[in-house]
Coordinates of all heavy atoms in Angstrom, one line a residue:
M24 N -24.6 27.0 10.6 CA -23.4 27.7 11.2 C -22.2 27.5 10.3 O -22.0 26.4 9.8 CB -23.1 27.1 12.5 CG -23.8 27.8 13.7 SD -22.9 27.6 15.2 CE -23.9 26.3 15.9
G25 N -21.4 28.5 10.1 CA -20.2 28.5 9.3 C -19.0 28.3 10.2 O -19.0 28.3 11.4
A26 N -17.9 28.2 9.5 CA -16.6 28.0 10.2 C -16.3 29.2 11.0 O -15.7 29.0 12.1 CB -15.5 27.7 9.1
D27 N -16.7 30.4 10.6 CA -16.3 31.6 11.4 C -17.0 31.6 12.7 O -16.5 32.2 13.7 CB -16.7 32.8 10.6 CG -18.1 32.8 10.0 OD1 -18.8 31.8 10.1 OD2 -18.5 33.9 9.5
Q28 N -18.1 30.9 12.9 CA -18.8 30.8 14.2 C -18.3 29.6 15.0 O -18.3 29.6 16.3 CB -20.3 30.7 14.0 CG -20.9 31.9 13.4 CD -22.4 31.8 13.2 OE1 -22.9 30.8 13.4 NE2 -23.0 32.9 12.7
L29 N -17.9 28.5 14.4 CA -17.5 27.3 15.1 C -16.0 27.3 15.5 O -15.6 26.8 16.6 CB -17.7 26.1 14.2 CG -19.2 25.7 13.9 CD1 -19.2 24.6 12.9 CD2 -19.9 25.4 15.2
L30 N -15.1 27.9 14.8 CA -13.7 27.9 15.0 C -13.2 28.6 16.3 O -12.3 28.2 16.9 CB -12.9 28.4 13.8 CG -13.0 27.4 12.6 CD1 -12.3 28.0 11.4 CD2 -12.4 26.1 12.9
P31 N -13.8 29.8 16.6 CA -13.3 30.4 17.8 C -13.4 29.6 19.1 O -12.6 29.7 20.0 CB -14.1 31.7 18.0 CG -14.6 32.0 16.6 CD -14.8 30.6 16.0
G32 N -14.3 28.6 19.1 CA -14.5 27.8 20.3 C -13.6 26.6 20.4 O -13.6 25.8 21.3
V33 N -12.7 26.4 19.4 CA -11.8 25.3 19.3 C -10.7 25.5 20.4 O -10.0 26.5 20.4 CB -11.2 25.2 17.9 CG1 -10.1 24.1 17.9 CG2 -12.2 24.9 16.9
G34 N -10.6 24.5 21.3 CA -9.6 24.6 22.3 C -8.4 23.9 22.0 O -8.0 22.9 22.6
A35 N -7.7 24.3 20.9 CA -6.5 23.7 20.5 C -5.4 24.7 20.1 O -5.7 25.9 20.0 CB -6.8 22.8 19.2
D36 N -4.2 24.2 20.0 CA -3.1 25.1 19.7 C -3.0 25.2 18.1 O -2.5 26.2 17.6 CB -1.7 24.5 20.2 CG -1.7 24.5 21.7 OD1 -2.4 25.4 22.3 OD2 -1.0 23.7 22.3
A37 N -3.4 24.2 17.4 CA -3.3 24.2 16.0 C -4.5 23.5 15.3 O -5.1 22.7 16.0 CB -2.0 23.5 15.5
L38 N -4.8 23.9 14.1 CA -5.9 23.3 13.4 C -5.3 22.7 12.1 O -4.8 23.5 11.3 CB -7.0 24.3 13.0 CG -8.1 23.7 12.2 CD1 -9.0 22.9 13.0 CD2 -8.9 24.8 11.5
L39 N -5.4 21.4 11.9 CA -5.0 20.8 10.6 C -6.1 20.6 9.7 O -7.1 20.0 10.1 CB -4.3 19.4 11.0 CG -2.9 19.4 11.5 CD1 -3.0 19.7 13.0 CD2 -2.3 18.1 11.3
A40 N -6.1 21.1 8.5 CA -7.2 21.0 7.6 C -6.6 21.0 6.2 O -5.5 21.3 5.9 CB -8.1 22.2 7.8
D41 N -7.5 20.6 5.2 CA -7.1 20.6 3.9 C -7.2 21.9 3.1 O -7.7 22.9 3.7 CB -7.8 19.4 3.1 CG -9.3 19.6 3.1 OD1 -9.8 20.6 3.6 OD2 -10.0 18.8 2.5
K42 N -6.9 21.9 1.9 CA -6.9 23.2 1.1 C -8.3 23.8 1.0 O -8.4 25.0 0.8 CB -6.5 22.9 -0.3 CG -5.0 22.5 -0.4 CD -4.6 22.3 -1.9 CE -3.1 21.9 -1.9 NZ -2.7 21.8 -3.3
A43 N -9.4 23.1 1.2 CA -10.7 23.7 1.2 C -10.9 24.8 2.2 O -11.8 25.6 2.1 CB -11.8 22.6 1.3
Y44 N -10.1 24.7 3.3 CA -10.3 25.7 4.4 C -9.3 26.9 4.2 O -9.1 27.6 5.2 CB -10.1 25.0 5.7 CG -11.2 24.0 6.0 CD1 -11.1 22.7 5.7 CD2 -12.4 24.5 6.6 CE1 -12.1 21.8 6.0 CE2 -13.4 23.6 6.9 CZ -13.3 22.3 6.6 OH -14.3 21.4 6.8
D45 N -8.7 27.1 3.1 CA -7.8 28.2 2.9 C -8.6 29.4 2.5 O -8.6 29.8 1.3 CB -6.8 27.8 1.8 CG -5.8 28.9 1.5 OD1 -5.5 29.6 2.5 OD2 -5.3 29.0 0.4
A46 N -9.3 30.0 3.5 CA -10.1 31.2 3.2 C -9.7 32.2 4.2 O -9.7 32.0 5.4 CB -11.6 30.9 3.4
D47 N -9.2 33.4 3.7 CA -8.7 34.4 4.6 C -9.7 34.9 5.7 O -9.4 34.9 6.9 CB -8.2 35.6 3.8 CG -6.9 35.3 3.1 OD1 -6.1 34.5 3.6 OD2 -6.7 35.8 1.9
E48 N -10.8 35.4 5.2 CA -11.7 36.0 6.2 C -12.5 35.0 7.0 O -12.6 35.3 8.2 CB -12.8 36.9 5.4 CG -12.2 38.0 4.6 CD -13.2 38.7 3.8 OE1 -14.4 38.5 4.0 OE2 -12.8 39.5 2.9
R49 N -13.0 33.9 6.5 CA -13.8 33.0 7.2 C -13.1 32.1 8.1 O -13.6 31.6 9.1 CB -14.7 32.3 6.3 CG -15.6 33.2 5.5 CD -16.9 32.7 5.1 NE -17.6 32.1 6.3 CZ -18.8 31.8 6.2 NH1 -19.5 32.0 5.1 NH2 -19.4 31.2 7.2
V50 N -11.8 31.7 7.8 CA -11.1 30.7 8.5 C -9.8 31.3 9.1 O -9.6 31.3 10.3 CB -10.8 29.5 7.7 CG1 -10.0 28.4 8.5 CG2 -12.1 28.9 7.2
L51 N -8.9 31.7 8.3 CA -7.6 32.1 8.7 C -7.6 33.3 9.7 O -6.9 33.3 10.7 CB -6.7 32.4 7.5 CG -6.4 31.2 6.6 CD1 -5.7 31.6 5.4 CD2 -5.7 30.0 7.3
A52 N -8.4 34.3 9.4 CA -8.4 35.5 10.3 C -9.1 35.1 11.6 O -8.6 35.6 12.7 CB -9.2 36.6 9.6
V53 N -10.1 34.2 11.6 CA -10.7 33.8 12.8 C -9.8 33.0 13.7 O -9.7 33.2 14.9 CB -12.0 33.0 12.5 CG1 -12.6 32.4 13.8 CG2 -13.0 33.9 11.8
L54 N -9.0 32.1 13.1 CA -8.0 31.3 13.8 C -6.9 32.2 14.4 O -6.4 32.0 15.5 CB -7.4 30.3 12.9 CG -8.3 29.1 12.5 CD1 -7.6 28.2 11.5 CD2 -8.7 28.3 13.7
A55 N -6.4 33.2 13.6 CA -5.4 34.1 14.1 C -5.9 34.9 15.3 O -5.2 35.1 16.2 CB -5.0 35.0 13.0
A56 N -7.2 35.3 15.2 CA -7.7 36.1 16.4 C -7.9 35.2 17.6 O -7.7 35.7 18.7 CB -9.1 36.7 16.0
A57 N -8.1 33.9 17.4 CA -8.2 33.0 18.6 C -6.9 32.4 19.0 O -6.8 31.6 19.8 CB -9.2 31.9 18.2
D58 N -5.8 32.9 18.4 CA -4.4 32.5 18.6 C -4.2 31.0 18.4 O -3.7 30.3 19.2 CB -4.0 32.9 20.1 CG -2.5 32.8 20.3 OD1 -1.8 33.1 19.3 OD2 -2.0 32.5 21.4
V59 N -4.8 30.5 17.3 CA -4.7 29.1 16.9 C -3.9 29.1 15.6 O -4.1 29.8 14.7 CB -6.1 28.5 16.6 CG1 -5.9 27.0 16.1 CG2 -6.9 28.5 17.9
T60 N -2.9 28.2 15.6 CA -2.0 28.0 14.4 C -2.8 27.3 13.3 O -3.3 26.2 13.5 CB -0.7 27.3 14.7 OG1 -0.1 28.0 15.8 CG2 0.2 27.2 13.5
A61 N -2.8 27.9 12.1 CA -3.5 27.2 11.0 C -2.5 26.4 10.2 O -1.5 27.0 9.6 CB -4.2 28.2 10.1
V62 N -2.7 25.1 10.2 CA -1.8 24.2 9.4 C -2.6 23.8 8.2 O -3.2 22.7 8.1 CB -1.3 23.0 10.2 CG1 -0.3 22.2 9.4 CG2 -0.7 23.5 11.5
I63 N -2.8 24.7 7.2 CA -3.6 24.5 6.1 C -2.8 24.9 4.8 O -2.3 26.0 4.7 CB -4.8 25.4 6.1 CG1 -5.6 25.1 7.4 CG2 -5.7 25.2 4.9 CD1 -6.8 26.1 7.7
P64 N -2.6 24.0 3.9 CA -1.8 24.3 2.7 C -2.6 25.3 1.8 O -3.8 25.3 1.8 CB -1.6 23.0 2.0 CG -2.7 22.1 2.5 CD -3.0 22.6 3.9
P65 N -1.9 26.2 1.2 CA -2.6 27.2 0.3 C -3.1 26.6 -1.0 O -2.5 25.6 -1.5 CB -1.5 28.3 0.1 CG -0.2 27.5 0.2 CD -0.5 26.5 1.2
K66 N -4.1 27.2 -1.5 CA -4.6 26.7 -2.8 C -3.7 27.2 -3.9 O -2.9 28.1 -3.7 CB -6.0 27.3 -3.1 CG -7.1 26.8 -2.2 CD -8.4 27.4 -2.6 CE -9.5 26.8 -1.7 NZ -10.8 27.4 -2.1
R67 N -3.7 26.5 -5.0 CA -2.7 26.8 -6.1 C -3.0 28.1 -6.7 O -2.1 28.8 -7.2 CB -2.8 25.7 -7.1 CG -2.2 24.4 -6.7 CD -2.2 23.4 -7.8 NE -1.7 22.1 -7.3 CZ -1.9 21.0 -7.9 NH1 -2.6 20.9 -9.0 NH2 -1.4 19.9 -7.3
N68 N -4.3 28.5 -6.7 CA -4.7 29.8 -7.4 C -4.6 31.0 -6.4 O -5.1 32.1 -6.8 CB -6.1 29.7 -8.0 CG -7.1 29.4 -6.9 OD1 -6.8 29.2 -5.8 ND2 -8.4 29.5 -7.4
R69 N -4.0 30.8 -5.3 CA -3.8 31.9 -4.3 C -2.9 33.0 -4.9 O -1.8 32.7 -5.4 CB -3.3 31.4 -3.0 CG -3.4 32.3 -1.9 CD -2.9 31.6 -0.6 NE -3.6 31.6 0.6 CZ -4.3 32.5 1.1 NH1 -4.5 33.6 0.5 NH2 -4.8 32.5 2.3
V70 N -3.3 34.2 -4.8 CA -2.5 35.3 -5.4 C -1.2 35.5 -4.6 O -0.1 35.6 -5.2 CB -3.3 36.7 -5.4 CG1 -2.4 37.8 -5.9 CG2 -4.5 36.5 -6.3
V71 N -1.3 35.5 -3.3 CA -0.1 35.6 -2.4 C 0.1 34.3 -1.7 O -0.7 34.0 -0.7 CB -0.3 36.8 -1.4 CG1 0.9 36.9 -0.5 CG2 -0.5 38.1 -2.1
P72 N 1.0 33.5 -2.1 CA 1.2 32.2 -1.4 C 1.6 32.4 0.1 O 2.3 33.4 0.4 CB 2.3 31.5 -2.2 CG 2.7 32.4 -3.3 CD 1.9 33.6 -3.2
R73 N 1.2 31.5 1.0 CA 1.6 31.7 2.4 C 2.2 30.4 2.8 O 2.0 29.3 2.2 CB 0.4 32.0 3.2 CG -0.8 31.1 3.1 CD -1.9 31.5 4.1 NE -2.8 30.4 4.0 CZ -2.7 29.3 4.7 NH1 -1.6 29.0 5.4 NH2 -3.6 28.3 4.6
E74 N 3.0 30.5 3.9 CA 3.7 29.3 4.4 C 2.8 28.5 5.4 O 1.9 29.1 6.0 CB 5.0 29.8 5.1 CG 6.0 30.4 4.2 CD 6.6 29.5 3.2 OE1 6.8 28.3 3.6 OE2 6.7 29.9 2.1
Y75 N 3.1 27.2 5.5 CA 2.5 26.4 6.5 C 3.5 25.3 6.9 O 4.5 25.0 6.2 CB 1.2 25.8 6.0 CG 1.4 24.7 4.9 CD1 1.3 23.4 5.2 CD2 1.7 25.1 3.6 CE1 1.5 22.4 4.2 CE2 1.9 24.1 2.6 CZ 1.8 22.8 2.9 OH 2.0 21.9 2.0
D76 N 3.3 24.7 8.0 CA 4.2 23.7 8.6 C 3.9 22.3 7.9 O 3.0 21.6 8.2 CB 4.0 23.5 10.1 CG 5.0 22.7 10.7 OD1 5.9 22.1 10.0 OD2 5.0 22.6 12.0
R77 N 4.8 22.0 6.9 CA 4.6 20.8 6.1 C 4.7 19.5 7.0 O 4.0 18.5 6.8 CB 5.6 20.7 5.0 CG 5.4 21.8 4.0 CD 6.5 21.7 2.9 NE 6.3 22.8 2.0 CZ 5.6 22.8 0.9 NH1 4.9 21.8 0.6 NH2 5.6 23.9 0.1
E78 N 5.6 19.5 8.0 CA 5.8 18.3 8.8 C 4.6 18.1 9.7 O 4.2 16.9 9.9 CB 7.0 18.5 9.7 CG 8.3 18.5 8.9 CD 8.5 17.2 8.1 OE1 8.3 16.1 8.7 OE2 8.9 17.3 6.9
R79 N 4.0 19.1 10.2 CA 2.8 19.0 11.0 C 1.6 18.5 10.1 O 0.7 17.8 10.6 CB 2.4 20.3 11.6 CG 2.6 20.4 13.1 CD 2.2 21.7 13.6 NE 1.9 21.6 15.0 CZ 1.6 22.6 15.8 NH1 1.5 23.8 15.2 NH2 1.3 22.4 17.0
Y80 N 1.6 19.0 8.9 CA 0.5 18.6 8.0 C 0.5 17.1 7.6 O -0.5 16.5 7.4 CB 0.6 19.4 6.7 CG -0.6 19.2 5.8 CD1 -1.9 19.7 6.1 CD2 -0.5 18.5 4.6 CE1 -3.0 19.5 5.3 CE2 -1.6 18.3 3.8 CZ -2.8 18.8 4.1 OH -3.9 18.6 3.3
K81 N 1.7 16.5 7.7 CA 1.8 15.1 7.4 C 1.0 14.3 8.5 O 0.6 13.2 8.2 CB 3.3 14.6 7.4 CG 4.0 15.1 6.2 CD 5.5 14.7 6.2 CE 6.2 15.3 5.1 NZ 7.7 14.9 5.1
A82 N 0.9 14.8 9.7 CA 0.2 14.1 10.7 C -1.3 14.0 10.3 O -2.0 13.0 10.7 CB 0.3 14.8 12.0
R83 N -1.8 14.9 9.6 CA -3.2 14.9 9.2 C -3.5 13.7 8.3 O -4.6 13.0 8.5 CB -3.6 16.2 8.4 CG -5.0 16.2 7.9 CD -5.2 17.4 7.0 NE -6.5 17.3 6.4 CZ -6.8 16.6 5.3 NH1 -5.8 16.0 4.7 NH2 -8.0 16.5 4.8
H84 N -2.6 13.3 7.5 CA -2.8 12.1 6.6 C -2.9 10.9 7.5 O -3.7 10.0 7.3 CB -1.6 12.0 5.7 CG -1.6 10.8 4.8 ND1 -2.6 10.7 3.8 CD2 -0.9 9.7 4.8 CE1 -2.4 9.5 3.2 NE2 -1.4 8.9 3.8
L85 N -2.0 10.8 8.5 CA -2.1 9.6 9.4 C -3.4 9.5 10.2 O -4.0 8.5 10.3 CB -0.9 9.7 10.4 CG 0.5 9.5 9.8 CD1 1.5 9.8 10.9 CD2 0.7 8.2 9.2
I86 N -3.9 10.7 10.6 CA -5.1 10.7 11.4 C -6.3 10.3 10.5 O -7.2 9.5 10.8 CB -5.3 12.1 12.0 CG1 -4.3 12.4 13.0 CG2 -6.7 12.3 12.5 CD1 -4.2 13.8 13.4
E87 N -6.3 10.8 9.2 CA -7.3 10.5 8.3 C -7.4 9.0 7.9 O -8.4 8.4 7.9 CB -7.1 11.4 7.0 CG -8.3 11.3 6.1 CD -8.2 12.3 4.9 OE1 -7.7 13.4 5.2 OE2 -8.5 11.9 3.8
N88 N -6.2 8.4 7.8 CA -6.1 7.0 7.5 C -6.7 6.2 8.7 O -7.3 5.2 8.5 CB -4.7 6.6 7.2 CG -4.3 7.0 5.8 OD1 -5.1 7.5 5.0 ND2 -3.0 6.9 5.6
F89 N -6.4 6.6 9.9 CA -6.9 5.9 11.1 C -8.4 5.9 11.1 O -9.0 4.9 11.4 CB -6.3 6.5 12.4 CG -6.7 5.7 13.6 CD1 -6.1 4.5 13.9 CD2 -7.7 6.2 14.4 CE1 -6.5 3.8 15.0 CE2 -8.1 5.5 15.5 CZ -7.5 4.3 15.8
F90 N -9.0 7.1 10.8 CA -10.5 7.2 10.8 C -11.1 6.3 9.7 O -12.1 5.7 9.9 CB -10.9 8.6 10.7 CG -11.0 9.3 12.0 CD1 -10.0 10.2 12.3 CD2 -12.0 9.1 12.8 CE1 -10.0 10.9 13.5 CE2 -12.1 9.8 14.1 CZ -11.1 10.7 14.4
Q91 N -10.4 6.2 8.6 CA -10.9 5.3 7.5 C -10.8 3.8 8.0 O -11.7 3.1 7.7 CB -10.0 5.5 6.2 CG -10.2 6.8 5.6 CD -11.7 7.1 5.2 OE1 -12.4 6.2 4.7 NE2 -12.1 8.3 5.4
K92 N -9.8 3.4 8.7 CA -9.7 2.1 9.2 C -10.8 1.9 10.3 O -11.4 0.8 10.3 CB -8.4 1.8 9.8 CG -7.3 1.7 8.8 CD -5.9 1.5 9.5 CE -4.8 1.5 8.5 NZ -3.5 1.3 9.1
L93 N -11.1 2.9 11.1 CA -12.1 2.8 12.1 C -13.5 2.6 11.5 O -14.3 1.9 12.0 CB -12.0 4.0 13.0 CG -12.7 4.0 14.3 CD1 -12.2 2.9 15.2 CD2 -12.6 5.4 15.0
K94 N -13.7 3.2 10.4 CA -15.0 3.1 9.7 C -15.3 1.7 9.1 O -16.4 1.4 8.7 CB -15.2 4.2 8.6 CG -15.3 5.6 9.2 CD -15.4 6.6 8.1 CE -15.5 8.0 8.6 NZ -15.6 9.0 7.5
Q95 N -14.2 0.9 9.0 CA -14.4 -0.5 8.5 C -15.1 -1.4 9.4 O -15.7 -2.4 9.0 CB -13.0 -1.1 8.1 CG -12.2 -0.4 7.1 CD -13.0 -0.4 5.7 OE1 -13.5 -1.4 5.3 NE2 -13.1 0.8 5.1
Y96 N -15.2 -1.0 10.7 CA -16.0 -1.7 11.7 C -17.5 -1.3 11.5 O -17.8 -0.2 11.7 CB -15.4 -1.5 13.1 CG -14.1 -2.1 13.3 CD1 -12.9 -1.5 12.9 CD2 -14.0 -3.3 13.9 CE1 -11.7 -2.1 13.1 CE2 -12.8 -4.0 14.1 CZ -11.6 -3.3 13.7 OH -10.4 -3.9 13.9
R97 N -18.3 -2.3 11.2 CA -19.7 -2.1 10.9 C -20.4 -1.4 12.1 O -21.2 -0.4 11.8 CB -20.4 -3.4 10.6 CG -21.8 -3.2 10.1 CD -22.3 -4.6 9.7 NE -23.7 -4.4 9.3 CZ -24.5 -5.4 9.2 NH1 -24.1 -6.6 9.5 NH2 -25.7 -5.2 8.8
A98 N -20.2 -1.8 13.3 CA -20.9 -1.2 14.4 C -20.5 0.3 14.6 O -21.3 1.1 15.1 CB -20.6 -1.9 15.7
I99 N -19.3 0.7 14.2 CA -18.9 2.1 14.3 C -19.5 2.9 13.2 O -20.0 4.0 13.4 CB -17.3 2.2 14.3 CG1 -16.7 1.3 15.4 CG2 -16.9 3.6 14.4 CD1 -17.1 1.7 16.8
A100 N -19.4 2.4 12.0 CA -19.9 3.1 10.8 C -21.4 3.3 10.8 O -21.9 4.4 10.4 CB -19.5 2.3 9.5
T101 N -22.2 2.4 11.4 CA -23.6 2.5 11.4 C -24.2 3.0 12.7 O -25.3 3.3 12.8 CB -24.3 1.2 11.0 OG1 -23.8 0.2 11.9 CG2 -23.9 0.8 9.6
R102 N -23.3 3.0 13.7 CA -23.7 3.4 15.1 C -24.9 2.7 15.6 O -26.0 3.3 15.7 CB -23.9 4.9 15.2 CG -24.2 5.3 16.6 CD -23.6 6.6 17.1 NE -23.8 6.7 18.5 CZ -24.1 7.7 19.1 NH1 -24.2 8.9 18.5 NH2 -24.2 7.7 20.4
Y103 N -24.8 1.4 15.8 CA -25.9 0.6 16.4 C -26.2 0.9 17.8 O -27.3 0.8 18.2 CB -25.5 -0.9 16.3 CG -25.6 -1.5 14.9 CD1 -24.6 -2.3 14.4 CD2 -26.6 -1.2 14.1 CE1 -24.6 -2.9 13.2 CE2 -26.7 -1.7 12.8 CZ -25.7 -2.6 12.4 OH -25.8 -3.1 11.1
D104 N -25.2 1.3 18.6 CA -25.4 1.6 20.0 C -26.3 2.9 20.2 O -26.1 3.9 19.5 CB -24.1 1.8 20.7 CG -23.3 0.5 20.6 OD1 -23.8 -0.5 20.9 OD2 -22.1 0.7 20.3
K105 N -27.2 2.8 21.1 CA -28.1 3.9 21.4 C -27.4 4.9 22.4 O -27.6 6.1 22.3 CB -29.4 3.5 21.9 CG -30.3 2.8 20.9 CD -31.6 2.4 21.5 CE -32.5 1.7 20.5 NZ -33.8 1.3 21.0
L106 N -26.7 4.3 23.3 CA -26.0 5.2 24.3 C -24.6 5.6 23.9 O -23.9 4.8 23.3 CB -25.9 4.4 25.6 CG -27.2 4.0 26.3 CD1 -27.0 3.2 27.5 CD2 -28.1 5.2 26.6
A107 N -24.3 6.8 24.2 CA -23.0 7.4 23.8 C -21.9 6.6 24.4 O -20.8 6.4 23.8 CB -22.9 8.9 24.1
R108 N -22.0 6.2 25.7 CA -21.0 5.5 26.4 C -20.7 4.1 25.7 O -19.5 3.7 25.6 CB -21.3 5.3 27.9 CG -22.4 4.4 28.1 CD -22.5 4.0 29.6 NE -23.4 2.9 29.7 CZ -24.5 2.9 30.4 NH1 -24.8 4.0 31.1 NH2 -25.3 1.9 30.4
N109 N -21.7 3.5 25.2 CA -21.5 2.2 24.6 C -20.8 2.4 23.2 O -19.9 1.6 22.8 CB -22.8 1.4 24.4 CG -23.4 1.0 25.7 OD1 -22.8 1.0 26.7 ND2 -24.7 0.6 25.7
F110 N -21.2 3.4 22.5 CA -20.5 3.8 21.2 C -19.1 4.1 21.4 O -18.2 3.6 20.7 CB -21.3 4.9 20.6 CG -20.7 5.3 19.2 CD1 -20.8 4.4 18.2 CD2 -20.1 6.5 19.0 CE1 -20.3 4.8 16.9 CE2 -19.6 6.9 17.8 CZ -19.7 6.0 16.7
L111 N -18.8 4.9 22.5 CA -17.4 5.2 22.8 C -16.6 4.0 23.2 O -15.4 3.9 22.8 CB -17.3 6.3 23.9 CG -16.0 6.8 24.3 CD1 -15.3 7.4 23.1 CD2 -16.0 7.7 25.5
A112 N -17.2 3.1 23.9 CA -16.5 1.8 24.2 C -16.2 1.0 23.0 O -15.1 0.4 22.9 CB -17.4 1.0 25.2
G113 N -17.1 1.0 22.0 CA -16.9 0.3 20.7 C -15.7 1.0 20.0 O -14.9 0.3 19.3
I114 N -15.7 2.3 20.0 CA -14.6 3.0 19.4 C -13.2 2.6 20.0 O -12.2 2.4 19.3 CB -14.8 4.5 19.4 CG1 -15.9 4.9 18.4 CG2 -13.5 5.3 19.0 CD1 -16.3 6.3 18.4
H115 N -13.2 2.6 21.3 CA -12.0 2.2 22.0 C -11.6 0.8 21.7 O -10.4 0.5 21.5 CB -12.2 2.3 23.6 CG -12.2 3.7 24.0 ND1 -12.6 4.1 25.3 CD2 -12.0 4.9 23.4 CE1 -12.5 5.4 25.5 NE2 -12.2 5.9 24.3
L116 N -12.5 -0.1 21.6 CA -12.2 -1.5 21.3 C -11.7 -1.6 19.8 O -10.7 -2.3 19.6 CB -13.5 -2.4 21.5 CG -13.3 -3.9 21.2 CD1 -12.3 -4.5 22.1 CD2 -14.6 -4.6 21.3
A117 N -12.4 -1.0 18.9 CA -11.9 -1.0 17.5 C -10.6 -0.4 17.4 O -9.7 -0.9 16.6 CB -13.0 -0.3 16.6
S118 N -10.3 0.7 18.1 CA -9.0 1.4 18.0 C -7.9 0.5 18.5 O -6.8 0.4 17.9 CB -9.1 2.7 18.8 OG -10.0 3.6 18.3
A119 N -8.2 -0.2 19.6 CA -7.2 -1.1 20.1 C -6.9 -2.2 19.1 O -5.8 -2.6 19.0 CB -7.7 -1.7 21.5
C120 N -7.9 -2.8 18.5 CA -7.7 -3.8 17.5 C -6.9 -3.3 16.3 O -6.0 -4.0 15.8 CB -9.1 -4.3 17.0 SG -10.0 -5.3 18.2
I121 N -7.2 -2.1 15.9 CA -6.4 -1.5 14.8 C -4.9 -1.3 15.2 O -4.0 -1.6 14.4 CB -7.0 -0.2 14.3 CG1 -8.4 -0.4 13.7 CG2 -6.1 0.6 13.4 CD1 -9.2 0.9 13.5
L122 N -4.7 -0.8 16.4 CA -3.3 -0.6 16.8 C -2.5 -1.8 17.0 O -1.3 -1.8 16.9 CB -3.3 0.3 18.0 CG -3.8 1.8 17.8 CD1 -3.9 2.5 19.1 CD2 -2.9 2.5 16.8
L123 N -3.2 -2.9 17.4 CA -2.6 -4.2 17.7 C -2.3 -4.9 16.4 O -1.4 -5.8 16.4 CB -3.4 -5.0 18.6 CG -3.4 -4.5 20.1 CD1 -4.4 -5.4 20.9 CD2 -2.0 -4.5 20.7
A124 N -3.0 -4.6 15.3 CA -2.9 -5.4 14.1 C -1.6 -4.9 13.3 O -1.0 -4.0 13.5 CB -4.1 -5.2 13.2

């Protein structure tokens, strides 16, 4: 499945993504049709540069860093838990530890 099939089902107001998702037909047009704001910086080789919300895009960096810290916990990175509820509990515990540190 490609992005054009997965993105219309996104139940969000905005999608934060990196430059790799700067594709008019497969991503941006699909998001516009679903009334989702695309917060995606344009590629440098784009013929017609387009605008994006730079302040909102900065939040993507914070979220990405948080996931990198979360992956430092061995049980989260390797997913030892068989049940989804136990795995989610581990994510909550690790997130609390990260936020308290």
Side-chain angles (χ1 to χ4, degrees):
M24 268 204 261
D27 51 350
Q28 294 178 357
L29 294 173
L30 290 177
V33 173
D36 296 332
L38 176 78
L39 283 80
D41 61 359
K42 291 181 181 184
Y44 292 93
D45 183 29
D47 286 326
E48 294 175 16
R49 297 210 53 166
V50 179
L51 298 174
V53 174
L54 290 174
D58 199 29
V59 176
T60 305
V62 184
I63 303 170
K66 290 183 179 179
R67 288 185 186 161
N68 62 352
R69 198 177 220 328
V70 176
V71 180
R73 55 178 190 76
E74 295 295 320
Y75 70 101
D76 189 355
R77 293 177 188 272
E78 293 302 315
R79 252 182 157 175
Y80 187 72
K81 288 179 184 179
R83 181 186 170 276
H84 178 70
L85 295 174
I86 295 167
E87 190 171 319
N88 286 349
F89 184 79
F90 275 102
Q91 291 301 321
K92 289 178 185 177
L93 195 59
K94 289 179 184 178
Q95 296 299 314
Y96 289 84
R97 186 174 178 199
I99 303 299
T101 57
R102 184 146 189 216
Y103 286 135
D104 299 311
K105 291 183 181 179
L106 298 177
R108 69 167 192 239
N109 293 347
F110 181 67
L111 182 60
I114 289 177
H115 287 172
L116 180 63
S118 298
C120 291
I121 292 169
L122 293 174
L123 290 174

